[in-house]
């Protein structure tokens, strides 16, 4: 049977769309390729089989012409339409589009008028002040481009940290592969990935098996591995092909698994504090397990001398809970192991035991459909949400000012309400609410008159354009926005894009104070490049008694499930409990909770 790598097909379709836009094709026409890429990415059927049976056109959004291109790629390894258009441009031109705020239109102008075809050439053109001479660019744009170029370089350099959103799917696929290896008893992710840090340096995986060698042999046969960079008795390191991501696998006897998993989950700061506590109880904790010290060892251990060889008994640790129990404290979930106060709380038995989980979420608050810049129709989104087990759902399209994202005029918004009513009648078992994601304008006002806003169930207010405001202006903008009683939820609060765009400058504590006073609910947005709020800010919000919504901000059916883990990660790392999250409640309670009294 034909084996087809979906990722290769998705990339080819996306590249084709990018090249067509560079070539001046209109964005609407080109969207078909992005929609098709999205279809393939979220496909659960076997792509190879569909190609062989010529059934690709049964997928919505995939017509004859795109199906042919996919079949050609799958069977010959080439997509001639892509090769042809690629040949018209310098080989590295798509790099330009990794620069924040540099879209296809600008990239095209830079190429056609200045011959810029790579990041290096763009840098040179900016430094030589040639960019500012182009129509529509100017000195300010040139300076901004130069700064953003540095951001793009940092993100691309393989030495840098990567977004959890890019790494987690690769890590999980690899973990599933390792679980298939001969003799594996248990296996888990470790390190910063298990702790759900928003950026990670590498992937740590631990497994237990009676004999490590067959596990390593299986590991090294993983198709996506580029090179093996280290192979020892109990550890093997590899680099993945496309992403250049480093993965360390450790394999141990099962009796050592839990303490090793604990050690290699970290964080270092959490461990250092735990070790101090252990010493006071006459225990040592290390990579090699938990040991009870002989009399006299204590001083040596405190002086930093490793004494595990001479220590008396190695204590059995079946799972991580045993380890915390030995220290007389509550179990600490991996996401909380950062020395952010979790050890003190676990000792006092005040650590939350009901942290929010994905399965607690019963409604979706923030999503987009083809009414604005989403990939799927409203009905498709509703059916997908229902299939995920949600009981209520809100589409929140962009508002009038966000013309670039298909923002809705008042007329369009009202037409969308009719469609929502229709879908509510045809799709049973899930309730669609009427909502909008309104821009928060420069002065803090919303993008529709109150007479429109008051008719909506859910109003998210978000900043999408910054107009280069400084901290004072941005803070004022938010404080003013909260004076509008129709704003229910503050969407992707800081506006950051991890590795691409810094959080907007604003006095967060002052803003959260006002949100608490005014009863505004705060979003934790799960777009993998946003993860906004951050865990630190989630905690600050919770300390003020604010409520949270866990959002996917899904622009397609697949993102409804793909984005959820990242919002949950941020929320859990910020110690959010089930009761703090308004979309872990049924629709009536949700609507009551977000209403501003
Ligand atoms: P990363 O890789 O920078 O995203 O962050 P981590 O936390 O995954 O760090 P990594 O991969 O260097 O090490 C994984 C875990 O192993 C770390 O969280 C704690 C443990 N570990 C590694 N080196 C040390 C060390 O020198 N002392 C202690 N106490 N623990 C260590
Ligand atoms: Ca790591
Ligand atoms: Zn948004």
């Amino acid at each position: 049977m034909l084996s087809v790598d979906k990722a290769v097909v998705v990339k080819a379709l996306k590249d084709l769309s990018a090249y067509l836009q560079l070539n001046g094709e209109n964005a609407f026409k080109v969207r078909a390729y992005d929609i098709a890429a999205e279809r393939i990415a979220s496909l659960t059927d076997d792509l190879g089989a569909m190609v062989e049976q010529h059934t690709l056109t049964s997928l919505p959004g995939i017509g004859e012409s795109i199906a042919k291109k996919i079949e050609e790629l799958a069977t010959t390894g080439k997509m001639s339409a892509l090769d042809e258009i690629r040949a018209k441009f310098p080989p590295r031109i798509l790099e330009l589009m990794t620069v924040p705020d540099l879209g296809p239109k600008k990239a095209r102008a830079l190429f056609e008028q200045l011959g810029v075809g790579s990041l290096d050439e763009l840098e040179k053109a900016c430094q030589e002040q040639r960019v500012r001479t182009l129509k529509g660019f100017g000195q300010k744009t040139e300076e901004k481009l130069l700064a953003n170029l540095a951001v793009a370089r940092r993100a691309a350099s393989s030495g840098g940290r990567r977004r959890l959103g890019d790494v987690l799917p690769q890590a999980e696929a690899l973990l599933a592969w390792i679980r298939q290896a001969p003799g594996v008893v248990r296996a888990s992710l470790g390190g910063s990935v298990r702790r759900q840090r928003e950026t990670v340096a590498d992937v740590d995986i631990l497994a237990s098996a009676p004999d490590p060698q067959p596990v390593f042999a299986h590991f090294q046969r993983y198709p996506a591995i580029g090179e093996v960079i280290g192979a020892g008795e109990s550890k093997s390191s590899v680099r993945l092909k496309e992403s250049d991501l480093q993965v360390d696998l450790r394999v141990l006897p099962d009796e050592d698994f839990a303490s090793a998993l604990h050690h290699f989950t970290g964080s270092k700061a959490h461990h250092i504090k735990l070790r101090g506590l252990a010493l006071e109880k006459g225990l040592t904790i290390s990579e090699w397990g938990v040991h009870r010290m002989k009399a006299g060892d204590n001083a040596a251990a405190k002086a930093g001398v490793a004494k595990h060889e001479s220590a008396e008994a190695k204590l059995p640790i079946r799972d991580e809970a045993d380890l915390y129990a030995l220290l007389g404290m509550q179990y600490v979930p991996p996401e909380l192991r950062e020395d952010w106060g979790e050890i003190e709380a676990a000792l006092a038995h005040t650590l939350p035991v009901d942290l929010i989980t994905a399965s607690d979420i019963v409604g979706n608050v923030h999503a987009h459909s083809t009414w604005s810049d989403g990939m799927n129709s409203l009905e498709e989104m509703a059916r997908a949400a229902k299939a995920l087990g949600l009981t209520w759902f809100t589409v929140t399209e962009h508002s009038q000012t966000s013309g670039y994202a298909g923002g809705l005029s008042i007329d369009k918004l009202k037409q969308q309400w009719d469609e929502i009513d229709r879908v509510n009648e045809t799709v049973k078992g899930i309730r669609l609410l009427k909502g909008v994601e309104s821009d928060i304008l420069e002065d803090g006002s919303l993008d529709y008159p109150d007479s429109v806003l008051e008719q909506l169930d859910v109003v998210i207010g978000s900043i999408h354009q910054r107009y280069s405001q400084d901290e004072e202006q941005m803070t004022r903008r938010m404080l003013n926005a909260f004076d509008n009683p129709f704003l229910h939820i503050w969407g992707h609060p800081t506006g950051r894009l991890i590795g691409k765009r810094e959080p907007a400058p604003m006095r967060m504590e002052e803003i959260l104070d006002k949100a608490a006073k005014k009863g505004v609910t705060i979003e934790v947005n799960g777009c993998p490049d946003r993860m906004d709020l951050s865990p630190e800010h989630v905690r600050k919000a919770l300390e003020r008694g604010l409520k949270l919504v866990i959002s996917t901000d899904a622009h397609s059916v697949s993102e409804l499930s793909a984005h959820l883990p990242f919002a949950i990660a941020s929320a859990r790392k910020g110690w959010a409990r089930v009761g703090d999250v308004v979309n872990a409640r049924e629709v009536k309670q949700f609507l009551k909770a977000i209403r501003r009294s």
Side-chain angles (χ1 to χ4, degrees), residues 85 102 338 407:
I85 195 161
L102 178 53
E338 301 288 353

Side-chain angles (χ1 to χ4, degrees), residues 191-192 202 204:
S192 51
D202 61 6
D204 304 279

Side-chain angles (χ1 to χ4, degrees), residues 485 488 517-520 592-597:
H488 299 125
K517 194 167 131 218
K518 293 279 183 170
V520 176
K592 205 169 146 203
I594 63 165
R595 202 166 306 139
R596 304 263 305 270
S597 41

